[in-house]
């Protein structure tokens, strides 16, 4: 069973359902987006955060957090809750902005993924590994990647367009 925390318009779960016939549960902070998933896609979704959800223990085989953890004011608590809702031997997949990556180092305060005040916490490779270890996880794999679009947005921000990220969605 799969949990997608910060599922957005539920693209990942929708794709997995079409490909594999598997169904998962999404959690989405934005009420209008959660309503779309529920009312238009007819897929299961909870409105709020993982900490709001009150899910039963050891329910999920996999928890996915794509561009989610950096939005939480208490990421250690979120990771502890993730551990609680995972079955023994379960996995978590986390995708977060990389403050050590080339775009962040190149653009500094104009790095598009800085996205303040929406992004509350940033992890480098070591602090993420420490946070995961503190909450009972072991890092199995770590990969760096850069979305070319973010590099382009950072370039535009670097040229002085300060409000472009408001129009991202």
């Amino acid at each position: 069973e799969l949990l997608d925390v910060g599922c957005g318009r539920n693209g990942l779960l929708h794709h997995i359902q079409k490909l594999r016939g598997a169904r998962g549960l999404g959690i989405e902070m934005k009420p209008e987006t959660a309503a779309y998933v529920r009312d238009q896609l007819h897929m299961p979704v909870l409105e709020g955060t993982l900490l709001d959800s009150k899910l039963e223990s050891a329910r999920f085989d996999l928890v996915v957090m794509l561009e989610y953890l950096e939005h939480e004011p208490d990421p250690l608590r979120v990771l502890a809750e993730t551990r609680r809702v995972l079955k023994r031997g379960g996995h978590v997949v986390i995708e977060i902005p990389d403050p050590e990556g080339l775009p962040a180092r190149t653009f500094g305060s104009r790095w598009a993924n800085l996205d303040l005040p929406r992004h509350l916490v940033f992890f480098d490779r070591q602090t993420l590994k420490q946070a995961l270890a503190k909450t009972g996880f072991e890092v199995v794999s770590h990969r760096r990647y850069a979305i070319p679009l973010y590099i382009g947005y950072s370039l535009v921000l670097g040229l002085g367009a300060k409000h472009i990220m408001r129009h991202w969605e």
Side-chain angles (χ1 to χ4, degrees):
E1 197 166 349
L2 170 67
L3 175 65
D4 187 0
V5 182
C7 68
R9 294 174 65 104
N10 227 30
L12 176 65
L13 293 176
H14 187 72
H15 187 69
I16 288 172
Q17 182 177 328
K18 281 176 61 177
L19 268 178
R20 303 285 179 139
R23 290 181 58 95
L25 175 65
I27 297 176
E28 175 53 40
M29 287 186 208
K30 295 180 182 173
E32 62 278 3
T33 306
Y36 170 82
V37 171
R38 181 181 52 252
D39 302 338
Q40 300 299 315
L41 297 180
H42 308 288
M43 295 183 76
V45 64
L46 299 174
E47 184 183 316
T49 68
L50 178 60
L51 296 175
D52 298 331
S53 66
K54 309 285 190 254
L55 294 165
E56 60 269 19
S57 296
R59 175 176 171 183
F60 297 97
D61 300 292
L62 176 65
V63 175
V64 177
M65 292 184 214
L66 305 180
E67 302 290 329
Y68 175 80
L69 196 57
E70 67 273 14
H71 295 272
E72 283 285 359
D74 191 348
L76 285 178
R77 199 165 147 231
V78 171
L79 290 172
E81 180 66 3
T82 301
R83 166 58 59 211
R84 189 188 68 74
V85 302
L86 273 171
K87 292 178 183 174
R88 185 179 178 94
H91 290 81
V92 61
V93 174
I94 299 171
E95 175 185 282
I96 54 175
D98 181 6
E100 297 177 312
L102 182 62
R105 291 191 324 266
T106 301
F107 295 104
S109 67
R110 295 190 188 262
W111 174 45
N113 267 327
L114 196 55
D115 200 11
L116 302 171
R118 290 177 357 108
H119 289 177
L120 304 174
V121 179
F122 290 91
F123 293 94
D124 61 25
R125 182 180 217 141
Q126 189 59 35
T127 57
L128 180 59
K129 186 177 180 179
Q130 289 170 348
L132 289 166
K134 244 183 204 179
T135 53
F137 290 101
E138 175 187 342
V139 176
V140 175
S141 175
H142 179 276
R143 286 187 291 181
R144 239 186 208 125
Y145 76 95
I147 299 174
L149 194 57
Y150 281 122
I151 295 169
Y153 275 123
S154 295
L155 183 58
V156 171
L157 288 171
L159 295 172
K162 295 179 182 175
H163 303 290
I164 196 165
M165 288 306 286
R166 285 189 320 181
H167 306 292
W168 176 273
E169 295 191 63

